[in-house]
């Protein structure tokens, strides 16, 4: 890969994940430039340069990416399908590593699951990157599957805990371990990867801060709060049916329902343990599950 990566551009650096990524990259000593849409009023840490761009225009994006060694896209889900000009501009500007906006379930293994329909924007972007990388071997990529955003999911309900009412929604038996990552931990993984890009060249990796079961998470929440929580028991088959029904009407809010089946369903088998968890490859430890819950519950 040649000289070390120093200059890193982040797309969507004002977002949920992007903020954590920018902060970790700055802490790791990278020079960070954030690309934003015209009119964005977001502010960034000292030393971070922001450049307004038009994501539909290679002419707008290429100069913004000149001099950048790497590009991390944390662009919003609604915009993932429109990243082709960004990829073309990265190639034109001589960017050496691109990390596309994946950061969820492993989109390389969707099979014929209905959830795959919703993720086609990510799949097509990565396929396009793959093609461009074959044509330009100095343009390399790493895809990262993170599983559920854990800290973000505690705040936004996707982990199933409601701390105001002390209610836990448990899908199926609650005993299936699932892949989950905290946002700063994902930022640390990206920083570690960019320090040693050669270990993940043109690879799709999976990382997990931890792989808890829903019941373990509930048990820790009960221990920390010192109270029994109310359980709201639901079935992932039912969630799948609701998701398929919504999808047939073109309603992409189906994603949450289908995701529950995919990650929480008994036998889902998506926990990433041992050598499958690339944290080891990146020289990182797992995160602290109880500490993560305590931080949220005592906030
Ligand atoms: N695993 C999980 O549990 C999980 C959860 C949520 C998201 N994700 C994934 O993580 C990635 C980042 O998601 P996120 O939630 O961090 O993103 P986000 O906060 O929704 O958006 C990130 C940034 O994208 C920029 N952007 C560019 N075009 C946009 C458009 N058309 N509409 C809205 N924003 C636009 C915005 O920055 P400017 O305004 O500065 O341009 C925005 O701040 C996505 O791939 C998403 O699918 C995973």
């Amino acid at each position: 890969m040649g000289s070390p990566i120093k200059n890193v551009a982040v797309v969507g650096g004002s977002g949920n994940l992007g903020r954590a990524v920018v902060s970790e990259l700055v802490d790791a000593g990278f020079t960070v430039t954030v690309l934003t849409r015209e009119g964005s009023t977001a502010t960034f840490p000292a030393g971070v340069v922001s450049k307004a761009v038009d994501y539909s225009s290679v002419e707008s994006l290429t100069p913004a990416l000149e001099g950048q060694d790497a590009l991390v896209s944390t662009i919003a889900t609604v915009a993932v399908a429109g990243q082709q000009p960004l990829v073309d501009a990265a190639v034109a500007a001589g960017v050496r590593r691109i990390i596309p906006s994946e950061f969820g379930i492993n989109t390389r293994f969707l099979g014929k699951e209905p959830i795959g329909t919703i993720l086609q924007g990510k799949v097509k972007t990565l396929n396009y990157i793959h093609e461009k990388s074959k044509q330009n071997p100095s343009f390399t990529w790493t895809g990262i599957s993170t599983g559920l955003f854990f800290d973000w999911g505690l705040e936004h309900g996707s982990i199933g805990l409601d701390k105001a009412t002390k209610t836990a929604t448990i899908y199926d038996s609650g005993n299936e371990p699932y892949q989950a990552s905290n946002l700063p931990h994902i930022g640390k993984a990206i920083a570690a990867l960019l320090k040693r890009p050669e270990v993940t060249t043109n690879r799709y990796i999976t990382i997990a801060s931890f792989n808890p079961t829903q019941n373990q998470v509930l048990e820790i929440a009960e221990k920390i709060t010192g109270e029994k929580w109310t359980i709201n028991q639901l079935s992932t088959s039912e969630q799948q049916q609701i998701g398929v029904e919504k999808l047939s009407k073109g309603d992409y809010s189906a994603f949450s329902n289908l995701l529950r089946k995919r990650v929480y369903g008994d036998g889902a088998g998506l926990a990433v343990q041992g050598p499958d968890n690339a944290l080891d490859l990146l020289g990182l430890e797992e995160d602290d599950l109880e500490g993560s819950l305590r931080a949220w519950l005592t906030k």
Side-chain angles (χ1 to χ4, degrees):
M1 184 106 187
S3 55
I5 286 177
K6 184 164 174 17
N7 298 328
V8 183
V10 179
V11 165
S14 60
N16 300 310
L17 176 59
R19 285 198 173 281
V21 170
V22 168
S23 166
E24 295 297 333
L25 289 174
V26 169
D27 284 359
F30 292 102
T31 302
V32 179
T33 298
V34 174
L35 306 191
T36 62
R37 289 168 298 172
E38 206 68 62
S40 167
T41 52
T43 54
F44 300 101
V48 172
V49 172
S50 79
K51 292 184 182 173
V53 292
D54 172 359
Y55 287 115
S56 65
S57 160
V58 179
E59 292 70 32
S60 156
L61 290 161
T62 305
L65 289 172
E66 296 286 354
Q68 298 299 324
D69 301 309
L71 168 63
V72 183
S73 175
T74 62
I75 206 162
T77 312
V78 291
V80 289
Q83 291 179 94
Q84 200 161 312
L86 186 65
V87 176
D88 289 338
V91 174
V95 169
R96 290 181 283 147
R97 176 63 53 96
I98 185 168
I99 300 176
S101 194
E102 286 281 319
F103 309 115
I105 62 182
N106 186 331
T107 61
R108 299 283 99 182
F109 293 101
L110 294 172
K112 298 220 177 303
E113 281 190 53
I115 201 167
T117 311
I118 304 175
L119 290 165
Q120 281 312 299
K122 290 187 177 185
V123 173
K124 284 182 181 155
T125 300
L126 192 46
N127 288 348
Y128 189 67
I129 289 171
H130 198 231
E131 279 309 307
K132 289 287 156 187
S133 162
K134 276 201 283 188
Q135 292 158 12
N136 308 274
S138 59
F139 176 66
T140 64
W141 60 272
T142 307
I144 308 177
S145 159
T146 59
L148 291 180
F149 289 174
F150 191 78
D151 45 2
W152 180 88
L154 287 171
E155 298 282 357
H156 291 87
S158 47
I159 299 299
L161 297 188
D162 179 348
K163 68 177 172 181
T165 60
K166 303 228 165 31
T167 303
T169 301
I170 302 282
Y171 297 96
D172 294 357
S173 73
N175 288 326
E176 181 66 28
Y178 61 90
Q179 177 197 10
S181 297
N182 284 329
L183 301 182
H185 209 204
I186 299 171
K188 282 184 175 48
I190 292 171
L193 185 166
L194 294 176
K195 293 271 177 192
R196 287 198 307 141
E198 61 284 354
V199 300
T200 61
T201 302
N202 300 339
R203 277 183 64 181
Y204 198 99
I205 60 170
T206 50
I207 60 171
S209 293
F210 27 64
N211 294 273
T213 68
Q214 297 169 84
N215 287 332
Q216 279 166 351
V217 168
L218 171 60
E219 199 180 306
I220 297 170
E222 288 182 334
K223 186 179 100 175
I224 294 169
T225 56
E227 283 177 57
K228 275 275 166 214
W229 286 40
T230 306
I231 294 177
N232 174 28
Q233 178 71 51
L234 294 178
S235 122
T236 62
S237 305
E238 220 168 74
Q239 290 296 311
Q240 178 89 349
Q241 264 174 24
I242 297 168
V244 168
E245 177 75 13
K246 282 184 180 174
L247 207 53
S248 71
K249 295 177 188 147
D251 174 0
Y252 275 22
S253 74
F255 186 75
S256 302
N257 306 96
L258 298 171
L259 186 65
R260 288 173 194 137
K261 170 72 175 174
R262 173 136 177 144
V263 301
Y264 293 138
D266 286 337
L270 289 179
V272 284
Q273 277 146 349
D276 288 343
N277 192 344
L279 282 185
D280 209 26
L281 185 72
L282 301 173
L284 296 176
E285 304 276 312
E286 287 201 356
D287 224 346
D288 172 9
L289 175 61
E290 183 165 334
S292 305
L293 279 160
R294 191 177 295 280
W296 173 66
L297 285 166
T298 56
K299 202 153 74 170

